Amino acid sequence: MHGRPRKAASKPEASAAKALKLRSVQSQFMSNHHRKIYTQEAIQLSAKLLAINPEAYTAWNYRKLAVEDNLSRIDDSDPSLVNSILNEELEVVAIALRRNLKSYGAWYHRKWVLSKGHSSLEKELQLLNKYQKLDLRNFHAWNYRRFVLELTKTPQQDELHYTTDMINDVSFSNYSAWHNRSELLSSLVAKKADGFMPKETIRRELDYVHNAIFTDEDDQSAWFYYLWLLDQTVKMETPLRTSSWPSDGSIIILSGPGCFNGSSSSSKFTTFCSESGSFPLILYFDQAVSGVSSSTVTIDSELQGNQDLVWEPVSDKNSQLSCVWVARLKFDSAEPCFRKENKVKVSLGKSQGIVSSRGCYLSAPYEFVFTVHIHDTVGEPQEGIVLWTDGFDNWDAQSKDLNSLITSDQLNADTGFEWRKQAIKIEIECFRDLHDSKFGKLILARLLMAEETMISDDAVKGVHYNEILQLYKDLMALNSSHDQYYKDEHSVALLHKVTSSTESLSRRLFLYRNMNNIVCLRLNNLTLSRIAAVEKFLFVQMLDLSHNELHSAEGLEAMQLLCCLNLCHNRIRSFSALDSLRHLKQLRVLDVSHNDMGGKHPVDTTRYLCSRPLSNSAEIGRQVPCKYWDAYLVLRDLKKLKQLDIIRGNDLIAGEEFSSFVRQVLPKLVWLDGHKLAS
């Protein structure tokens, strides 16, 4: 690590003798630990073990128990006895750190000793200076330094000067010093300390890091700090609602079961079919937020029974923080009132409560209004097979219906937009001088993407995308070891290009005649390896992502209206990569064929983070086979699925056993791999 050569391996004879000694000491130590023996001899034995192996976590925990036991036996009024016990612990840690300066257990134990409050913090800082001279970038030492400084209540401005000295006078190739600087600045800006307002601080730091970058453009430490600064420049402190469904000014038609049987719709992009008598209301924010509830989002609606809506975060991490929140508004299709306009007004931000992970509240109150018409039930639910090759009509590119569906919040000068835009423009001109450097190309691509997000004029929006895409292609050729990362970034840029205007998006929109002219977005054959820009097509009900290079369905969870999804001929190798689909409660048609799922690939460790579903085995009438656990955890939530293509091209899950398993998990399934199932 950090250019430091590893120590030469010891001779086999010496290693064997060392191992024998370690086993002997460890055996005696474990006997003392189990019998709770805390004599001086036993404590010294644990110190001997830690001197040999500082990573013996049980020994560190034993010493904590021994300290607590000894402290309970002495007179608290004699501080010298307490200090004697704690100083002995600090000495044991020092010996362990001489053996391994990056021992987690040793550093944690030292923190624990200091938390007792009987140690000299000044001595700790002196010791830290010594350790940091041995290894300037030891992140354990830097983390411990932050811990000690918090105890001493050292002003953060003073520590910021220390990082400046470490970078300027010792080495600017110091990841840990740059990281510590970012931690300090984040805190100072959040507290709005004197001289640390975002605009001035970011400009000052950008100028400062330029010196390191242009001194040695191949040194990565300054580049990582620059990327952090770029994120701070682009991200607003306060969260913003970027899109929603239904959108402001839109008109939607709600219908009960069977509405997909119709061959035409009276209006494009408006028909929503529901078997449960409700439809989703989706809010999409530019960053993960919490606090979305009926008290922070109010609904003024002529639809009955929607006074106290329950808002749920849409997240694979079971977190109360999410960019996407959804509530379900009720309607009664049994009492049609098509001629009556049901206005729904949604207001958010009037009362404080929607907050980001950084503790910033929603920037400003916002409201939007949409209109609802209700149709009665058209007929029995559809059971015909959905084909992805036939039955589509082109979308009229001249239609104005699309504009209201993809409108999103625009930043403005009141939210600090102008100075950020100007800062990005200055940086773009600066980094065009580093066009031959791989880091320079990456940063320039990031900067151009950032500027694109800030362009509000539709006439010039999208001007940078061709250059961005070419930069990532150049990076793939220059640096093949990071090829997948550049492919992912290329995919993100391409999807933003496709959705940058109604004209470009409409070229990929179609109407599916066989399901009441629902809208289909075709993003097939684009070599996409990552999904992005989903906030721009929340209204889509049918999505074709076939013949790409996707490894995961992550991102699709936001598309709550999605009823048909084609993921065939991608690179999705496991069912856990489809976990996002669990959130798509309207999904009726799914094609994941030809993905080589269940093939001979690296172990998918995410499956072991899931609970064993045997407790739910009653749901399908039998125990779930171990090899199908991850499939069960995804499919069990797709309760409305009627058509599934999964076995073709996924040879290791082919066969009657898996087919039988699928039919039991999905009792409403009508079509399996093109064959209609018996009733």
Side-chain angles (χ1 to χ4, degrees), residues 578-647:
L578 298 173
D579 192 60
S580 300
L581 304 187
R582 295 186 301 105
H583 300 282
L584 303 182
K585 305 303 182 186
Q586 303 299 322
L587 201 60
R588 297 164 179 268
V589 176
L590 175 63
D591 189 344
V592 288
S593 61
H594 300 283
N595 274 285
D596 201 15
M597 294 175 71
K600 295 180 180 179
H601 305 290
V603 175
D604 179 13
T605 55
T606 58
R607 66 186 299 175
Y608 301 110
L609 301 178
C610 303
S611 58
R612 184 181 174 99
L614 297 183
S615 59
N616 300 317
S617 59
E619 297 176 21
I620 63 171
R622 67 181 178 94
Q623 184 171 306
V624 179
C626 294
K627 57 185 174 181
Y628 299 147
W629 285 356
D630 45 2
Y632 172 76
L633 291 169
V634 174
L635 296 176
R636 66 175 178 178
D637 290 321
L638 304 182
K639 300 184 184 302
K640 295 184 179 181
L641 207 62
K642 294 185 178 296
Q643 178 178 325
L644 176 63
D645 289 89
I646 190 170
I647 297 174

Side-chain angles (χ1 to χ4, degrees), residues 383-388 589-594 642-648 659 662 669-678:
E383 292 190 356
I385 192 168
V386 171
L387 301 175
W388 292 92
V589 176
L590 175 63
D591 189 344
V592 288
S593 61
H594 300 283
K642 294 185 178 296
Q643 178 178 325
L644 176 63
D645 289 89
I646 190 170
I647 297 174
R648 288 175 295 184
S659 297
V662 168
L669 200 64
V670 177
W671 297 91
L672 179 60
D673 283 277
H675 301 288
K676 191 169 184 177
L677 303 177

Side-chain angles (χ1 to χ4, degrees), residues 364-378:
Y366 182 85
E367 66 180 38
F368 59 96
V369 180
F370 58 92
T371 304
V372 172
H373 292 295
I374 301 176
H375 265 171
D376 57 353
T377 300
V378 175

Side-chain angles (χ1 to χ4, degrees), residues 67-136:
V67 167
E68 296 290 2
D69 181 74
N70 287 335
L71 289 177
S72 68
R73 298 173 185 275
I74 63 172
D75 185 358
D76 290 343
S77 62
D78 188 350
S80 63
L81 290 176
V82 176
N83 284 335
S84 173
I85 293 172
L86 297 180
N87 286 337
E88 182 180 347
E89 294 305 303
L90 293 176
E91 182 57 31
V92 170
V93 172
I95 293 170
L97 289 176
R98 283 199 287 272
R99 178 134 188 119
N100 180 8
L101 197 53
K102 296 182 178 179
S103 168
Y104 283 87
W107 286 107
Y108 286 140
H109 194 70
R110 200 167 189 93
K111 278 187 178 182
W112 180 81
V113 174
L114 252 66
S115 68
K116 295 294 182 181
H118 285 268
S119 303
S120 170
L121 297 177
E122 193 59 42
K123 284 184 179 179
E124 288 301 299
L125 285 175
Q126 292 173 10
L127 184 66
L128 268 173
N129 290 335
K130 184 187 299 183
Y131 285 144
Q132 288 182 301
K133 286 179 182 177
L134 294 173
D135 185 355
L136 298 171

Side-chain angles (χ1 to χ4, degrees), residues 151-167:
L151 293 177
T152 60
K153 295 183 170 33
T154 300
Q156 290 179 315
Q157 290 89 331
D158 292 351
E159 185 63 6
L160 188 65
H161 289 310
Y162 176 79
T163 65
T164 303
D165 292 340
M166 291 291 285
I167 292 167

Side-chain angles (χ1 to χ4, degrees), residues 16-28 48-50 52-53 56:
K18 180 181 175 183
L20 184 63
K21 179 182 178 183
L22 178 60
R23 281 196 294 270
S24 174
V25 173
Q26 204 162 21
S27 176
Q28 296 176 55
K48 185 177 180 181
L49 173 60
L50 289 166
I52 300 171
N53 178 20

